[in-house]
Every structure is written in C-alpha cells, then in structure tokens.
C-alpha cells in the first residue's frame, strides 16, 4: 500500500516536484498471485514470475515494442539503454514470490537514473531495507480521525480503538 501511494504521489505531484525528483515513467510490476476483492480472495492471472515478464512490462510502459522482438540477452541490453534515457521508478510488488535469480541481478545492476522499490515479506540482499513497524497509537488514532473526517464517516471511540488494534 505504501509503495502504491508513493507511485500515485509522484504521478499526481509531478509538476510540483523539482525536475531532478520527477520520474518520466513509473512501472508497477506485481508478483502477487491473489487479490482481495469484495467477493473474497481471487486468483490473479497476470502474474510476474520471471525476468521476461518484467522486461515485457517495462517495454509496454516505455512504448518500446522492439525490446520484445529480441532474445533475453539482447532484451537486457535494450532495457538498460531505455532506462538510461529517462528517470524511471520501477516498483516490484510481492518480490518473495519471484524465483528467477536473474531478477535479483537485474535489480542490483539497474542503471542510473532508474530507481527501484521492492516490496517483500522476506529479507533480501539486493536493497537497503526500510522496515515498517506499527504506528504509535496516538498517531494512528489521529490518522483514523482525519480519514473519517475526509470521508464523512462517524466512528465511536470504541470503533476507532478496534480499528487501531
């Protein structure tokens, strides 16, 4: 959720950001195998599992179909050339479900000015981790109140406490 919020903020606030902080492209790749819907947990059919899947997403977002017409080694070179030409944010969600070692190498060797966010429930050695812990109670209650006010929702103190827990 945090990575998605970051992507939305960079996109919606593009014109207000200093030029050196803007991303020309934001690429979201999900390795999530299921989604929570109103009807319950559903299987996702468009799942990213390999480096080829990631290359395909990058080529689609960057509008460079030539990349997909080449073998995997040439694709790697073409992807890196494309990423060098513009500031890109690559977000890989649910990284723990990807078992293609080439993805690790690709992320380690991302060319500048490309940046990457990887979300995972497991420790990985390809990034500087930022661990998220619980929000302090007072901050969480204030956030709940703010969201209720924005959405015109009334919650009793007990309900806000239950939501916090």
């Amino acid at each position: 959720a945090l990575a998605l919020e970051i992507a939305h903020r960079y996109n919606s606030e593009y014109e207000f950001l200093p030029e050196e902080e803007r991303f020309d492209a934001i690429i979201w790749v999900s390795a999530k195998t299921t989604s929570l819907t109103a009807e319950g947990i559903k299987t996702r059919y468009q799942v990213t599992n390999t480096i080829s899947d990631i290359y395909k997403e990058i080529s689609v977002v960057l509008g460079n179909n030539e990349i997909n017409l080449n073998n995997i080694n040439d694709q790697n070179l073409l992807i890196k050339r494309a990423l060098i030409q513009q500031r890109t944010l690559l977000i890989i969600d649910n990284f723990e479900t990807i078992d293609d070692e080439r993805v690790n190498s690709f992320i380690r060797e991302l060319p500048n000015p490309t940046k990457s966010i990887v979300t995972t429930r497991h420790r990985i050695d390809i990034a500087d981790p930022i661990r998220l812990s619980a929000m302090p109670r007072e901050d969480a209650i204030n956030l709940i109140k703010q969201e209720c006010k924005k959405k015109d929702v009334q919650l009793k103190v007990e309900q806000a406490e239950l939501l916090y827990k």
Side-chain angles (χ1 to χ4, degrees):
L2 182 58
L4 186 57
E5 178 65 20
I6 288 168
H8 282 295
R9 291 244 179 128
Y10 270 107
N11 188 43
S12 66
E13 297 177 13
Y14 179 87
E15 58 206 38
F16 304 110
L17 293 170
E19 198 168 317
E20 66 275 6
E21 292 181 22
R22 295 176 181 172
F23 289 103
D24 301 309
I26 298 174
I27 303 167
W28 180 275
V29 178
S30 181
K32 191 182 288 190
T33 56
T34 59
S35 292
L36 181 61
T37 69
E39 293 81 39
I41 296 174
K42 300 285 184 182
T43 301
R44 287 186 74 242
Y45 296 102
Q46 190 174 1
V47 178
T48 301
N49 288 317
T50 66
I51 193 67
S52 295
D53 296 334
I54 292 173
Y55 287 170
K56 187 176 186 178
E57 283 297 317
I58 292 170
S59 68
V60 167
V61 172
L62 298 183
N64 188 339
N65 294 328
E66 175 193 343
I67 293 168
N68 293 322
L69 303 175
N70 289 277
N71 66 46
I72 195 76
N73 292 329
D74 290 341
Q75 284 181 342
N76 186 25
L77 182 63
L78 292 169
I79 288 286
K80 287 184 178 179
R81 278 188 196 154
L83 293 175
I84 286 170
Q85 294 176 15
Q86 61 187 30
R87 193 158 190 270
T88 302
L89 176 60
L90 173 64
I91 302 172
I92 302 177
D93 188 35
N94 280 70
F95 187 78
E96 70 272 9
T97 62
I98 296 176
D99 55 5
D100 186 342
E101 185 57 39
R102 296 172 297 180
V103 176
N104 289 353
S105 298
F106 174 70
I107 293 171
R108 272 191 215 101
E109 299 165 9
L110 278 174
N112 279 332
T114 302
K115 303 295 179 196
S116 180
I117 296 174
V118 175
T119 69
T120 182
R121 299 187 193 295
H122 304 294
R123 183 182 171 97
I124 57 174
D125 66 349
I126 60 171
D128 297 323
I130 299 173
R131 304 212 183 279
L132 301 179
S133 59
M135 185 181 276
R137 183 188 170 285
E138 185 179 334
D139 293 343
I141 296 295
N142 286 335
L143 178 62
I144 291 167
K145 287 177 183 176
Q146 284 177 356
E147 289 299 310
C148 286
K149 187 175 181 179
K150 276 199 296 192
K151 294 174 173 58
D152 197 27
V153 171
Q154 301 291 322
L155 283 184
K156 295 178 184 174
V157 173
E158 305 82 39
Q159 292 172 311
E161 202 55 50
L162 183 61
L163 187 57
Y164 165 71
K165 288 179 184 174

